[in-house]
Amino acid sequence: MTSHEERIAKEEEFWNGPRLFALGLAFLAASVVVIYILSCI
């Protein structure tokens, strides 16, 4: 396996389901906050 494939395998192992879910939830929350702030201006 090349170093490129090893790096991809490590990244896939790092970004597992729960971590991606938490990242998506954080992104959604940040989006809601930005929309709320913009609507109050």
Side-chain angles (χ1 to χ4, degrees):
M1 189 173 356
T2 64
S3 62
H4 181 68
E5 290 172 339
E6 288 173 7
R7 186 179 59 81
I8 290 174
K10 284 182 185 175
E11 286 183 10
E12 286 177 348
E13 192 177 311
F14 181 77
W15 293 109
N16 54 7
R19 191 164 290 182
L20 280 176
F21 178 74
L23 183 68
L25 208 60
F27 181 76
L28 183 66
S31 300
V32 169
V33 168
V34 168
I35 291 169
Y36 178 74
I37 291 171
L38 290 176
S39 69
C40 289
I41 294 175

